[in-house]
Amino acid sequence: DGGITQSPKYLFRKEGQNVTLSCEQNLNHDAMYWYRQDPGQGLRLIYYSQIVNDFQKGDIAEGYSVSREKKESFPLTVTSAQKNPTAFYLCASSIRWGLTGKFFGPGTRLTVL
Amino acid sequence: ILNVEQSPQSLHVQEGDSTNFTCSFPSSNFYALHWYRWETAKSPEALFVMTLNGDEKKKGRISATLNTKEGYSYLYIKGSQPEDSATYLCASGYNNNDMRFGAGTRLTVKP
């Protein structure tokens, strides 16, 4: 089955530690995205990648980093510089970058203790 | 900053009730409006994409309308069922490829 997987589903980390969230897709999509969801707010774009080996900052990129070495994979690292890292993180992909419909993963809930 | 507003934030209805909720968005440079259905512990799934003023889309008991001039979209559910319980997200896209999501309307349908 084609789709997007994110792992793990729940993640706990101590304050000051970097943590990497996994996102894999087998849909052969060029574009991939990372969103953050906080209670009562819409999804906010952290980073996006239009194509392999390329990525761009979204609205709230500070304290995060990404890589796109393979078309299928777009891992997100939450660094210790991110002031409020506890949130729900959603990965998405689309056939091409822009306003095309997005396919989402199931999300990872990160809690920093 | 483009703000997409959804109302109400949450909604509880009885099985069999019909219901509707609203997505309001800035209409300047508008390109497309997306509705997603997001069940707990699952991935958001696309319901509709609408681009033209006056567009109406329907899938089973769920339908949506779009008014691009005044910047709003309605989602209607006829005869709600418990399996309709989910968060319904809207996202508006703009000509500069910017896409903004609302916070969602959480619908609970009681049997």
Side-chain angles (χ1 to χ4, degrees):
Chain A
D1 286 338
I4 302 180
T5 56
Q6 290 185 243
S7 60
K9 195 170 182 177
Y10 299 96
L11 192 54
F12 296 88
R13 278 293 181 270
K14 290 184 180 178
E15 194 171 344
Q17 289 182 332
N18 290 357
V19 60
T20 297
L21 281 58
S22 165
C23 178
E24 304 277 331
Q25 55 101 356
N26 61 4
L27 299 165
N28 201 34
H29 286 172
D30 279 330
M32 297 186 75
Y33 312 79
W34 274 106
Y35 291 93
R36 170 180 170 139
Q37 187 195 38
D38 293 284
Q41 295 192 43
L43 302 180
R44 291 184 291 167
L45 183 64
I46 304 172
Y47 266 98
Y48 65 93
S49 168
Q50 297 186 42
I51 201 162
V52 66
N53 291 322
D54 167 82
F55 51 84
Q56 306 291 335
K57 292 182 180 180
D59 298 318
I60 54 166
E62 187 176 347
Y64 299 98
S65 66
V66 293
S67 63
R68 185 88 187 275
E69 296 175 5
K70 296 188 298 182
K71 189 175 187 177
E72 302 79 22
S73 179
F74 191 41
L76 174 75
T77 296
V78 185
T79 75
S80 57
Q82 168 48 234
K83 295 189 190 323
N84 295 299
T86 295
F88 189 77
Y89 292 88
L90 268 177
C91 179
S93 71
S94 59
I95 292 173
R96 60 184 181 280
W97 177 68
L99 303 177
T100 55
K102 293 175 175 53
F103 289 76
F104 287 90
T108 292
R109 182 166 298 281
L110 173 64
T111 302
V112 175
L113 306 170
Chain B
I1 295 178
L2 300 171
N3 285 324
V4 176
E5 305 288 341
Q6 290 190 246
S7 62
Q9 190 173 25
S10 65
L11 194 54
H12 294 252
V13 302
Q14 288 295 134
E15 182 175 354
D17 288 349
S18 293
T19 186
N20 66 85
F21 22 95
T22 306
C23 173
S24 302
F25 54 89
S27 56
S28 178
N29 294 315
F30 171 83
Y31 181 84
L33 192 288
H34 298 252
W35 279 102
Y36 291 87
R37 181 171 177 272
W38 191 3
E39 289 184 74
T40 302
K42 294 188 178 179
S43 307
E45 291 183 345
L47 277 175
F48 305 115
V49 179
M50 295 177 288
T51 56
L52 299 176
N53 186 46
D55 263 354
E56 292 187 27
K57 293 282 178 85
K58 187 175 180 181
K59 185 183 289 188
R61 293 178 292 98
I62 305 177
S63 60
T65 61
L66 178 66
N67 183 321
T68 62
K69 293 181 190 284
E70 297 180 42
Y72 64 84
S73 174
Y74 292 137
L75 189 80
Y76 300 91
I77 303 179
K78 186 177 177 181
S80 303
Q81 300 296 309
E83 58 265 32
D84 295 328
S85 296
T87 295
Y88 291 83
L89 291 179
C90 73
S92 63
Y94 296 88
N95 289 327
N96 62 353
N97 286 314
D98 195 10
M99 180 177 274
R100 298 287 161 169
F101 285 81
T105 293
R106 181 185 291 275
L107 174 67
T108 304
V109 182
K110 300 175 185 176

